[in-house]
Amino acid sequence: GAVVSQHPSWVICKSGTSVKIECRSLDFQATTMFWYRQFPKQSLMLMATSNEGSKATYEQGVEKDKFLINHASLTLSTLTVTSAHPEDSSFYICSVTGGRETQYFGPGTRLLVL
Amino acid sequence: GNSVTQMEGPVTLSEEAFLTINCTYTATGYPSLFWYVQYPGEGLQLLLKATKADDKGSNKGFEATYRKETTSFHLEKGSVQVSDSAVYFCALSWLSGGSNYKLTFGKGTLLTVNP
């Protein structure tokens, strides 16, 4: 399977600042990347789907101006949480796929907004 | 719509015990089915998958059989180890908008194996 990295692995920021999270596919041409959010002891919630070179498609209820996603290449996607607030604190996980069904997940980024 | 119903946890077993985690699904068409495992503080790892009815996925001693007649994909392992302690997610894959496959996850089952 694909090897996926995320950076940073955890981040603490002040309320009102923006935070960028990177997702890299290290050995795999990822035509599609997904961003999920996971609350403690809960399942994953899909936030958005991004195809390389295209605008991301956001799930219902996810603010696109709040969670900016860029998928500029086949190996890199970024999620920027703009003007972060404490309620944005969560575990953010990306996944990649080559256009088929199996998704390969990154290790996750834990965000804490103070 | 598509949904996955997973056995509620937590599940606590002794080492070498037999494990079953139930998973049933509702879907249109013929989805692929997956089990993912999440160790504490980490992302998800693909454990096994099955893409059509009667397929059996297996990996690291874990097995699951795609049962179309009962819409189930139960995870089993004959003898669990302490290192199997993790959260297990059942998921199905479906084609969204004719272009991307998406995953729908169950709520996850926490497994704790004691020595």
Side-chain angles (χ1 to χ4, degrees), chain A residues 10-112:
Chain A
W10 61 273
V11 57
I12 301 173
C13 69
K14 293 182 179 180
S15 186
T17 61
S18 294
V19 174
K20 180 184 284 188
I21 302 169
E22 291 186 349
C23 174
R24 292 186 183 272
S25 178
L26 300 181
D27 60 352
F28 189 79
Q29 301 286 292
T31 55
T32 305
M33 289 184 168
F34 301 87
W35 285 96
Y36 294 84
R37 185 172 179 178
Q38 185 180 31
F39 292 101
K41 299 185 179 181
Q42 293 190 27
S43 191
L44 280 72
M45 181 191 79
L46 179 64
M47 299 174 67
T49 303
S50 73
N51 293 300
E52 187 261 340
S54 302
K55 287 185 178 180
T57 302
Y58 291 81
E59 296 298 303
Q60 193 171 9
V62 178
E63 299 175 60
K64 60 181 67 176
D65 295 331
K66 174 82 170 166
F67 299 100
L68 301 179
I69 292 171
N70 182 275
H71 188 172
S73 76
L74 288 172
T75 59
L76 174 65
S77 176
T78 60
L79 166 67
T80 301
V81 183
T82 62
S83 186
H85 288 93
E87 58 266 29
D88 299 323
S89 298
S90 194
F91 193 50
Y92 293 89
I93 307 176
C94 72
S95 71
V96 308
T97 177
R100 301 184 66 85
E101 296 179 273
T102 303
Q103 292 184 24
Y104 300 96
F105 288 81
T109 296
R110 192 163 301 283
L111 169 64
L112 177 60

